[in-house]
Amino acid sequence: TNETAKRRRQNLSLKRLLVFILSVASLQCYAKAALYTLDEGLKHPYAVKEIGKIFDQIFEKEDTKNIVIYVHGLGKNPKKSLNDGALPNVAELSDVHAILFSWPSWKGLFNRPLDNAVNSAWDLADLLYTFDLYRFKNKHKFKDRKVTLLLHSMGNILFRVFLESIHHARSFDAQLFDVVILNAPDVPYNGHAQWLNKLDFTNQIYVTRHSNDIILYISKKIFYEKPIWRGPKLGASFDYSGAPLQLAK
């Protein structure tokens, strides 16, 4: 009857709502990502949705330096990136304001934090959606500044999961980032075109590769439970003659 069908639809809606709530609750267990700046260091972590506060502070400075959001790879972060050179080097060598997006990237010497990287993609999504809204409301402030998204090594796992499973086409401004750089990406070369071609919020995409990257060579030898993470890495994608393999267009 119509009444029975109505009750079934209501039950289905309630079940879907429950699944959503449980999914969000489970994700909160991994919601440890945070933002850091060189000015304030470890003493002042920002929530990923506070990216606007950081940009406000940058725009108050009397300069027109460009801005880089850096997503790190494996290691004891955020201390590693803040104190051991990665973020300071980015800021100094490129003469930019550097913002660190830090996720739980350490599970011990012999463990790969793959599950943390996958779940932290939702934190990266929070950052990107919040920044998209901030940039839309403050377009005039970006007139003379470029913003780059720089993802290093395992940081590209977050980006792949975001593009593959979270991002919807044309949900961002076409120029959310002036440049996106995938640096030594520790993600499989096979199938990279399927997710990288979904990147529709920048006009400039760069992938850096090195044929003798020992970290990516070791990563290639690791047996991952899910086949999608196995095989030669995008950051070391060369054939037997040493020629670089073709990248997605």
Side-chain angles (χ1 to χ4, degrees), residues 144-157:
D144 298 315
R145 293 182 190 261
K146 292 184 177 180
V147 183
T148 295
L149 178 63
L150 172 59
L151 307 114
H152 176 64
S153 193
M154 284 190 75
N156 288 277
I157 293 176

Side-chain angles (χ1 to χ4, degrees), residues 114-130:
L114 177 60
D115 54 345
N116 286 359
V118 170
N119 285 285
S120 293
W122 291 91
D123 294 311
L124 181 62
D126 279 344
L127 171 70
L128 298 183
Y129 285 117
T130 305

Side-chain angles (χ1 to χ4, degrees), residues 100-114:
L100 175 66
F101 173 93
S102 186
W103 56 280
S105 57
W106 186 253
K107 295 182 69 175
L109 188 60
F110 301 104
N111 289 313
R112 300 272 292 176
L114 177 60

